[in-house]
């Protein structure tokens, strides 16, 4: 029995090593087809382990099938544990034998114990091994139903201690492989977030803006916003107040923009908003709403009025550099037209005449 369980242990670790490559991002998604495939892979791992059992009596065999079930329960919850356990239970029912009456309760006991231990043992992470007492509790019930089989006490004494040790060692080793993967994914996610997020406002930074700009398509639009007289705010109230103003404007942009849009800190006191699927006069309305929101609410830090000028341009099958240039020229027109206003690059039509590459129609949107 020791030899068969040791082979099962090696197979368990190998299967989890392969499983680690299915985790590609952090946080780990808990829904969708990728999640379903991952649960299917865990169930398949349990079934493969059952192909190489340690037979201990006619109709009674043991293996480490409970480890993938416990992992699914610990990481994704009891429902996931049940979904992973179902194919394993069905296969064990097909095998039949008296051991069936111990196998099914044992697996259900692992799900229940792991569910209870989720409050104590954290999801698999870099320091997971420190919680080994909790892992023992997860597998403590596994094998106990052997007591109710014929010659149960003898079988229990023969099997239970070794099975518990192998389950705990297998869980710590196999989940340790996944913990290392999760640690790398978590760090990578943090580094990517830091590289693409403005530290002061929490908005996407210029690098994130450039990446998202490349993904713009028909129906999308761009707004550029510049804080009016921002140097005066810094000189009068200090740079810490200027930082508070920028943070407040960032919050307003995230709150007032539509859910599918995204705001960025484009430069020092400049912001950008990429609008997705803008219809009709939507670009004018959003531009004016953002301008008006700043005028109404970005007052707390200075005790006065803070305003922004807004320039916008819609996607028109042009090079992205030209789209940004059009929005920037609209912003320039707004600032030199008196500030605290929004202007949008108008759409050129052949009836206007002239060179379409050099013609702009800038208009003040209605609130």
């Amino acid at each position: 029995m020791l030899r068969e369980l040791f082979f099962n242990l090696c197979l368990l670790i190998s299967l989890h090593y392969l499983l680690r490559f299915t985790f590609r991002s952090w946080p780990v998604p808990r829904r969708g087809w990728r999640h379903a495939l991952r649960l299917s892979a865990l169930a398949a791992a349990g079934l493969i382990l059952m192909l190489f059992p340690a037979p201990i009596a006619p109709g009674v065999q043991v293996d480490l099938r409970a480890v993938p079930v416990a992992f699914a329960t610990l990481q994704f919850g009891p429902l996931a544990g049940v979904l992973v356990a179902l194919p394993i239970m069905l296969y064990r029912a097909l095998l039949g034998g008296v051991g069936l009456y111990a196998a099914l309760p044992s697996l259900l006991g692992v799900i229940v114990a792991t569910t209870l231990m989720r409050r104590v043992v954290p999801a698999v992470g870099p320091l997971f091994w420190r919680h080994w007492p909790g892992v023992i509790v997860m597998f403590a019930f596994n094998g106990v139903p052997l007591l109710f089989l014929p010659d149960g006490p003898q079988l229990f004494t023969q099997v239970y201690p070794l099975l518990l040790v192998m389950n705990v060692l297998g869980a710590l080793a196999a989940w340790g492989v996944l913990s290392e993967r999760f640690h790398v994914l978590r760090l990578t996610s943090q580094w990517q977030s830091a590289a693409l997020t403005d530290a002061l406002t929490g908005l996407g930074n210029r690098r994130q803006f450039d990446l998202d700009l490349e993904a713009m398509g028909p129906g999308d639009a761009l707004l550029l916003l510049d804080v009016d007289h921002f140097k005066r705010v810094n000189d009068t109230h200090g740079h810490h107040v200027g930082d508070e103003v920028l943070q407040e404007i960032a919050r307003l942009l995230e709150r007032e923009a539509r859910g599918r849009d995204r705001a960025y800190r484009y430069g020092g006191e400049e912001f950008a908003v990429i609008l997705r699927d803008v219809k009709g006069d939507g670009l004018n309305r959003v531009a004016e709403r953002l301008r008006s929101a700043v005028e109404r609410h970005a007052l707390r830090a200075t005790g006065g009025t803070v305003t922004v000028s807004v320039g916008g341009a819609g996607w028109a099958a042009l090079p992205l550099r030209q789209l940004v240039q059009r929005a920037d020229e609209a912003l320039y027109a707004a600032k030199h037209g008196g500030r605290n206003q929004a202007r949008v690059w108008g759409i050129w039509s052949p009836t206007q005449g002239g060179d379409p590459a050099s013609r702009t129609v800038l208009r003040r949107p209605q609130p």
Side-chain angles (χ1 to χ4, degrees), residues 201 203 244 246-256 300:
T201 63
L203 300 179
E244 292 179 18
L246 296 178
Q247 292 169 337
E248 177 68 13
I249 292 175
R251 285 190 288 268
L252 289 170
L253 294 182
E254 288 190 312
R255 188 182 72 192
E256 297 293 333
R300 304 170 187 171

Side-chain angles (χ1 to χ4, degrees), residues 226 228-229 308-311 328-343 362 364:
D226 187 88
D228 297 326
H229 304 295
V308 293
S309 299
V310 185
D328 191 59
E329 290 184 6
L331 174 62
Y332 178 86
K335 293 188 78 68
H336 285 264
R339 293 186 172 85
N340 189 27
Q341 57 181 273
R343 294 201 179 185
L362 297 170
R364 175 74 180 269

Side-chain angles (χ1 to χ4, degrees), residues 17 20 124-126 175-185:
Y17 181 81
R20 72 193 291 269
V124 176
W175 299 351
V177 172
L178 296 178
S179 295
E180 180 270 337
R181 177 69 170 179
F182 291 166
H183 183 57
V184 171
L185 291 175

Side-chain angles (χ1 to χ4, degrees), residues 129-355:
W129 59 271
R130 294 184 178 180
H131 300 274
W132 60 267
V135 180
I136 294 178
V137 175
M138 293 179 195
F139 297 101
F141 186 79
N142 190 33
V144 171
L146 288 170
L147 289 168
F148 303 101
L149 300 181
D151 299 324
Q154 180 182 350
L155 289 175
F156 180 83
T157 304
Q158 176 188 355
V159 173
Y160 181 80
L162 181 59
L163 181 61
L164 178 61
V165 169
M166 285 297 187
N167 272 311
V168 173
L169 289 178
L172 292 176
W175 299 351
V177 172
L178 296 178
S179 295
E180 180 270 337
R181 177 69 170 179
F182 291 166
H183 183 57
V184 171
L185 291 175
R186 186 184 294 109
L187 289 178
T188 302
S189 176
Q190 291 173 352
W191 292 336
Q192 288 177 340
S193 178
L196 300 175
T197 302
D198 177 62
L200 177 64
T201 63
L203 300 179
N205 60 13
R206 178 63 181 269
R207 184 178 299 177
Q208 181 68 68
F209 171 76
D210 290 338
L211 291 174
D212 291 349
L213 195 67
E214 296 289 338
M216 290 184 65
D220 296 342
L222 171 65
L223 292 176
L224 296 180
L225 302 88
D226 187 88
V227 184
D228 297 326
H229 304 295
F230 186 69
K231 184 177 183 300
R232 185 184 303 169
V233 174
N234 280 332
D235 292 344
T236 305
H237 303 280
H239 288 278
H240 68 285
V241 172
D243 290 345
E244 292 179 18
V245 169
L246 296 178
Q247 292 169 337
E248 177 68 13
I249 292 175
R251 285 190 288 268
L252 289 170
L253 294 182
E254 288 190 312
R255 188 182 72 192
E256 297 293 333
R258 304 170 307 167
R260 57 188 179 276
D261 303 333
R262 186 167 186 181
Y264 311 82
R265 188 181 178 194
Y266 186 70
E269 67 271 18
E270 297 181 0
F271 296 86
V273 181
I274 292 179
L275 308 176
R276 301 296 185 186
D277 191 23
V278 181
K279 299 184 183 300
D281 200 39
L283 180 57
N284 283 331
R285 293 195 302 271
V286 175
E288 179 60 22
R289 185 170 73 245
L290 296 180
R291 183 207 64 78
S292 177
V294 173
E295 184 181 27
R296 292 194 312 269
H297 299 295
L299 314 174
R300 304 170 187 171
T302 64
T305 301
V306 175
T307 63
V308 293
S309 299
V310 185
W315 190 92
L318 296 170
L320 295 176
R321 180 179 57 83
Q322 192 168 350
L323 173 66
V324 176
Q325 180 180 350
R326 285 187 171 186
D328 191 59
E329 290 184 6
L331 174 62
Y332 178 86
K335 293 188 78 68
H336 285 264
R339 293 186 172 85
N340 189 27
Q341 57 181 273
R343 294 201 179 185
V344 173
W345 181 289
I347 300 176
W348 181 88
S349 65
T351 58
Q352 293 174 297
D355 181 6

